[in-house]
Amino acid sequence: MERILICDDSPFFRLLLKDIFLKLGHAVVDEVSNGAEAVQAYEYYQPSLVTLDIAMPGIDGIQALQLLLKAFPKAKVIIISGNRSQDLLYQALRSGAKYYITKPITEEKIREAFKQLNL
């Protein structure tokens, strides 16, 4: 069972992700809506996995990813975004994301990410 922190500015997508993770037998330790909250929540909960949206107000997902990995180099982060830009994908992976999922989110996409990350 993984302990997961969800970060997305959309309440709908946070709920959808939470439902999928719970269905797969994982625990959601917190749900936050921007990158600054994600960094704070990570420090508090020390989850085994973080999901980050890219487009969020304030600190976006790429910036949050960089801040997280600077402070917590072993953090595992999956980027989940509606943006299909190859440039953003490469930027996220170069910045240390372990996996990149494009919206719409499905249980199968989450299962595949977990399989690829050996979770």
Side-chain angles (χ1 to χ4, degrees):
M1 175 180 74
E2 301 300 326
R3 297 176 61 251
I4 302 169
L5 169 63
I6 298 171
C7 182
D8 195 303
D9 59 331
S10 165
F12 171 77
F13 282 111
R14 289 194 308 266
L15 180 61
L16 178 62
L17 279 169
K18 182 177 182 177
D19 286 347
I20 291 171
F21 290 135
L22 293 176
K23 182 178 179 184
L24 295 176
H26 303 291
V28 174
V29 297
D30 202 0
E31 302 170 42
V32 297
S33 62
N34 63 58
E37 292 175 345
V39 174
Q40 290 175 333
Y42 188 93
E43 184 173 8
Y44 181 77
Y45 292 105
Q46 301 283 311
S48 52
L49 180 68
V50 179
T51 66
L52 285 174
D53 186 15
I54 289 182
M56 294 182 292
I59 297 175
D60 68 22
I62 299 291
Q63 293 168 318
L65 170 65
Q66 293 165 344
L67 290 170
L68 275 171
L69 292 177
K70 184 176 180 181
F72 308 97
K74 295 185 180 190
K76 290 182 184 175
V77 179
I78 295 175
I79 296 290
I80 299 178
S81 179
N83 192 322
R84 288 175 161 63
S85 163
Q86 290 295 317
D87 290 338
L88 277 178
L89 165 64
Y90 294 133
Q91 184 180 4
L93 295 174
R94 278 193 312 267
S95 294
K98 302 295 183 196
Y99 202 80
Y100 191 104
I101 298 173
T102 56
K103 293 177 181 176
I105 299 164
T106 64
E107 183 178 328
E108 189 54 41
K109 287 180 180 181
I110 298 295
R111 284 182 187 276
E112 180 61 25
F114 277 52
K115 179 180 174 185
Q116 293 296 321
L117 296 175
N118 296 314
L119 297 175

